[in-house]
Structure formats: structure tokens, C-alpha cells
Amino acid sequence: MADKDYSIIPDKERERCVTGIEALDTILNGGIPRSNSVLVTGSCGTGKTTLSLEFLVHGAIKEENCLFISVTEDSKKMLNNIVPYDFFDQSLIEEGNLSFIDIPDLYDELGLLEKSEFSFKEIDELIAKIEKIVVENDIKRLVIDSVTSVCFQLKTEEKIRDFMLHLMKMLSSHGCTSLLISEISPEEPRYSQYGVEEAIADGIIMMGNLERQGDLLRTLQVVKMRGTDHSRAKYVLDLTAVGVLLVPLLKGGGVKAGSGGGKDG
Amino acid sequence: MVSVQGLPEKLDSLEPGSAVALKVDVDSYFEVITALTDKFPRNREMQVIYTTSTISSATIIHVLDAFDISRDNIQFVDAVSYMTMGASKQPEGVTFVESPTMLENISLKIEYLLKKYPADENTVIIDSIDSLSIHNDNRILSEFLHILISNLRSHDCFTFILSVSEQDSEEIDNMLAMVCDDFIEVRPENESGSTEVEM
């Protein structure tokens, strides 16, 4: 049996993928540990896609090759979301640092477009296809928006686990840091639609809407991140032309659960 | 205690990063605003972020225009107009916050303006702590001030928190004393008095 390298790299020494979202990098003690696969989870309108796009744009500015795989929306429409950024430059796309792929195009190439449910073999083919793109283009940052929509066509927990495990392992083996967007309904008491994704992911960034006395605040909380110490506090965020901004959620001397002080959605 | 007339000189002696509570009587209110938005930043590369929860930004803009004060380097964070349905259009230089209860969003808008319009020096005015206290519990308000001032201090910003003498409250005074470096009572010109209270 070949010798495996089991040497432990201390958290502080792990190379970081600096997200470029200043406050998030502070929360994560310098950024996401390189090669981690992170689940960005939340209900609609919480800023998951915007945060993920900013992560890619900052990577592209650093001349890392970045890829956005769109499952639910046309990628051309996605472009409209990043153009308002003060720091976005069209040349990032023209020079190939930032690229977009619509997953139906991949399904089409693999003959999966009309399939309502994928087999294990087809899942492997899909991952192999993504791997080919990652390797050929030396992709260092990847976003899939959303993995929930991909998992919808896998149907069983076994297949979802197989897909998530192989996808994350493959991305990690190529030094690719990924944000995998997970959609949940506001009332969902867990971090992912199928319950499998959250257990496998290296990190979970939970985004939500907090209702406090009739005000609706967008929130962000890093629930888990392997390979780094991090804050687990809840922050309020704003989506602006200068990027995602975060400030600590005020507690006002402590809000008791169910006291009417706040409600997550 | 300092006179309105002596206020600009006092402001000029402040170090960057200072957080100052200014207790102002109603009669001196507009003169203090003039000192903060015109005399203090004059001849400096300074941006002023004026956060209002007392009267609408439109009213303050009207007053500044009447005094012929340039608004080129002034940005407003208006936390009152939405609530009073007075924010039907967004004039240049004004950013609205839906409600004075959304204290985090006030912080976020200030942070946004600091990033959007980088300047050599920045002044942030909170007008006023009394109006914010109408809408917020004092515990959350003191937490807000503590976090905001710590953040602004890290940016070397001057922070001025206005309170109105006529709405005197020991609790508010204690809160300001805890988070601010200086507590200055501004008296009208015709009143005699001693120097300001150092914290």
C-alpha cells in the first residue's frame, strides 16, 4: 500500500482563499482555507448568489481563474447582477479569469437534458465533466448555484451523498475552493434541503432574514468552517455597490429565543 | 462648557479618532450644525457623513443652502424620512435607512459611504442620540454606539454625537460618557460659563 501523508497542517498555516469580502475574511481569520467546499445556505432573497459572485470577482481580480455554474438562472442574467459593482471590470470576463456555464449545456453534452433522474454512472459522468473543465482551465474558485437544484434530479439520499462526496473530493484534489449554494425554505430547521450536504461540506455559511419588531434584516453566520478558527456570531449584511458589508447583530443585552425579540426566516 | 463661538476652536484641537458628545440647547442647534459641517471641515480634505434621525435630510439641506454652506463633501444618512413617508425620491448625497430602529443598517450605510467616497479625513455626525432613544431600548442603543465608535475610531474618524439639553436624561448622559472621549456642553453666545467637562 502506498504511503499516505498524514501530517497535520496547523490551522494558522493553511493557505487561505481570501474572499475579498473584508468582514467575512475577518470572521474567518484570513479567508476560507484553500480547497474547502463551503455550503452557502439560506432562503430566497438572503444574498447567497450576490455573495458568491463577489467571491468570484475578487478571485478574478487576483488573476485566479473563477467559474460560476448556473443551474437555475441564465448566466447572461447573472452578469447583470455583477455589473453594478464598483470593482467589476468587463476585462475579467474577456481575459478568461471569470467565466460562466449554464448547467443545461453540460447536461445536453452528456445526453442528460431530458432525464428526470440520474443514475450513479451519470452522476460520475457529470462530475468527470466538471473536473475536465476545472483542470483544463485551472479553476481555483468555483460556485454552483444551486446544488439543491442538481440534487433534485438525484432523488435518493444515497445518490445525493455520492454526488456531494465525489464533487467535493474532486474539487479539493485540484486545489479549488468552492461555494455550493443550497436553497432552503424559511422555516427549515436545518442547513440544507436534503440534510446530506451539510454533513459533508467543509464549511457552512448560513444566510437568513431576521425579523425584529417589524424590521427585516439580512443576516450571515458562519456555522462551521474546517481548518480555521472563526466567529460563530450572527452579522447583519448589506449588499452594496462596494460589495457585501457586515456589522455585528445587536443583541441589546440578550434576546431570548421565543421572546419576540427576533425571528429567523 | 464652551460657547458656540468657541466651538470651532475646540473642534480644531481634537485628535483624529476622537468621539465627542455634544450637548446642545435648541437655540444653538443650527449654529452647532454649521460649525460641524462648514467651519470644522473647511480647508481640509474631509468628508462629513451626517446621520439624522431627528429631522429629515431635506430640512437640513434646506438650512445648509440657506446659510450658503457647500454640500460637496457632505453625505447624509437619513433614518427618519422613510418612517414619515418623506422619502419618495432619493436626492444626490442622501442614503435612506428604513427606520431609526434599524441601527445595524445605520452602521452599514456609514461603512458604505466611507468605502464609496474615500477621503483623507472623515467626520461622522449622529443627530441625535435623543431621537434614537425614542425608538430604541437604551441597552441596544449603547451597544450600537459602542460598536459604531470603536469601528469609526479604527478608521481615524471624528465622531460627534448630538444630544439636546432640553431632553436631558441621566441615562443618556451616562451612556455617552461611557463611549465618548469628550463630553462638551455648548452654551449660547450670551451665556457665561466655564470650560467643557473632560471625561
Side-chain angles (χ1 to χ4, degrees), chain A residues 15-31:
Chain A
E15 191 193 342
R16 299 306 168 112
C17 178
V18 178
T19 67
I21 300 162
E22 210 178 299
L24 182 59
D25 288 326
T26 305
I27 290 167
L28 294 169
N29 267 315

Side-chain angles (χ1 to χ4, degrees), chain B residues 5-188:
Chain B
Q5 210 169 22
L7 185 61
E9 193 186 338
K10 172 64 190 167
L11 298 180
D12 282 337
S13 69
L14 295 171
E15 291 291 321
S18 299
V20 179
L22 287 172
K23 190 179 256 193
V24 182
D25 71 291
V26 172
D27 294 336
S28 310
Y29 181 73
F30 284 112
E31 285 174 88
V32 170
I33 289 177
T34 307
L36 293 172
T37 55
D38 184 35
K39 291 174 185 153
F40 181 51
R42 195 183 293 167
N43 302 324
R44 306 165 81 151
E45 286 296 316
M46 183 182 277
Q47 176 183 225
V48 176
I49 298 173
Y50 194 115
T51 304
T52 177
S53 55
T54 308
I55 50 177
S56 70
S57 55
T59 306
I60 296 166
I61 286 169
H62 187 72
V63 170
L64 296 181
D65 289 348
F67 282 110
D68 216 12
I69 294 171
S70 165
R71 290 188 279 113
D72 290 348
N73 293 322
I74 305 176
Q75 295 287 334
F76 291 90
V77 176
D78 183 334
V80 69
S81 293
Y82 243 104
M83 195 179 57
T84 56
M85 301 296 187
S88 55
K89 58 177 183 177
Q90 184 154 358
E92 202 179 328
V94 180
T95 305
F96 291 108
V97 172
E98 281 176 64
S99 153
T101 53
M102 299 178 92
L103 296 170
E104 292 96 339
N105 283 11
I106 292 176
S107 297
L108 284 164
K109 296 304 178 197
I110 293 171
E111 182 78 17
Y112 166 71
L113 292 169
L114 290 173
K115 282 183 185 287
K116 178 81 177 170
Y117 306 104
D120 286 352
E121 292 187 292
N122 289 285
T123 288
V124 174
I125 301 166
I126 307 291
D127 179 9
S128 67
I129 191 70
D130 306 295
S131 56
L132 286 177
S133 75
I134 294 170
H135 301 278
N136 296 281
D137 178 80
N138 279 348
R139 287 181 306 174
I140 205 165
L141 198 51
S142 55
E143 189 186 357
F144 162 70
L145 288 181
H146 186 221
I147 293 171
L148 179 70
I149 289 172
S150 301
N151 183 38
L152 294 176
R153 202 171 267 141
S154 72
H155 285 98
D156 269 346
C157 291
F158 295 95
T159 308
F160 298 103
I161 300 169
L162 302 187
S163 69
V164 181
S165 337
E166 283 78 356
Q167 294 171 8
D168 219 3
S169 149
E170 196 183 336
E171 205 173 352
I172 297 277
D173 284 355
N174 289 339
M175 187 193 301
L176 292 173
M178 198 169 70
V179 295
C180 293
D181 307 309
D182 278 315
F183 192 110
I184 302 174
E185 282 194 61
V186 184
R187 61 176 163 79

Side-chain angles (χ1 to χ4, degrees), chain A:
Chain A
M1 200 166 95
D3 285 343
K4 279 194 176 179
D5 182 7
Y6 288 109
S7 57
I8 296 168
I9 302 169
D11 288 350
K12 280 182 192 166
E13 291 172 24
R14 271 194 70 174
E15 191 193 342
R16 299 306 168 112
C17 178
V18 178
T19 67
I21 300 162
E22 210 178 299
L24 182 59
D25 288 326
T26 305
I27 290 167
L28 294 169
N29 267 315
I32 299 170
R34 182 72 72 184
S35 308
N36 268 10
S37 293
V38 180
L39 210 62
V40 178
T41 184
S43 56
C44 64
T46 51
K48 303 182 297 294
T49 303
T50 308
L51 179 114
S52 303
L53 278 169
E54 189 180 342
F55 164 74
L56 292 187
V57 173
H58 285 300
I61 290 168
K62 287 172 178 285
E63 297 186 347
E64 291 179 13
N65 290 340
C66 303
L67 175 65
F68 189 98
I69 299 180
S70 183
V71 183
T72 46
E73 262 190 273
D74 187 277
S75 56
K76 282 191 189 115
K77 208 171 160 188
M78 284 291 147
L79 271 173
N80 296 331
N81 296 334
I82 54 172
V83 171
Y85 283 141
D86 289 349
F87 49 86
F88 174 72
D89 188 336
Q90 188 69 28
S91 67
L92 297 172
I93 293 175
E94 288 161 3
E95 288 167 16
N97 290 118
L98 180 59
S99 45
F100 293 80
I101 289 177
D102 292 328
I103 213 159
D105 294 341
L106 299 186
Y107 288 169
D108 195 22
E109 284 178 40
L110 295 168
L112 302 174
L113 203 53
E114 304 302 323
K115 298 255 178 172
S116 60
E117 185 176 350
F118 299 164
S119 67
F120 281 105
K121 185 172 169 281
E122 287 161 342
I123 292 168
D124 288 344
E125 284 170 359
L126 178 61
I127 292 171
K129 183 74 186 168
I130 295 171
E131 181 171 26
K132 190 165 180 276
I133 296 166
V134 167
V135 173
E136 282 179 357
N137 297 283
D138 191 26
I139 300 294
K140 291 297 167 208
R141 298 185 189 209
L142 179 134
V143 169
I144 299 180
D145 185 6
S146 65
V147 282
T148 313
S149 298
V150 178
C151 290
F152 181 72
Q153 278 164 299
L154 307 183
K155 308 292 184 197
T156 68
E157 194 176 298
E158 203 183 352
K159 284 181 186 172
I160 293 168
R161 185 177 289 276
D162 182 70
F163 170 70
M164 294 301 289
L165 263 174
H166 285 97
L167 177 72
M168 290 179 188
K169 196 175 166 191
M170 178 275 287
L171 293 171
S172 179
S173 71
H174 296 298
C176 181
T177 310
S178 57
L179 298 186
L180 309 174
I181 295 178
S182 164
E183 298 164 76
I184 52 170
S185 62
E187 295 82 21
E188 208 72 53
R190 54 190 179 186
Y191 301 118
S192 58
Q193 183 71 37
Y194 303 98
V196 174
E197 310 94 294
E198 63 197 60
I200 300 169
D202 298 308
I204 299 172
I205 297 175
M206 176 77 187
M207 303 182 74
N209 288 313
L210 179 85
E211 192 179 333
R212 188 178 63 200
Q213 295 169 359
D215 296 330
L216 197 60
L217 302 166
R218 282 198 174 100
T219 62
L220 178 148
Q221 189 170 29
V222 178
V223 176
K224 138 180 165 182
M225 189 64 67
R226 288 182 187 135
T228 183
D229 291 334
H230 63 88
S231 161
R232 297 185 85 236
K234 198 171 266 187
Y235 293 79
V236 176
L237 81 145
D238 196 9
L239 311 173
T240 77
V242 299
V244 170
L245 299 176
L246 297 161
V247 293
L249 174 73
L250 300 173
K251 297 166 191 75
V255 179
K256 286 175 191 165
S259 66
K263 184 187 177 211
D264 266 326

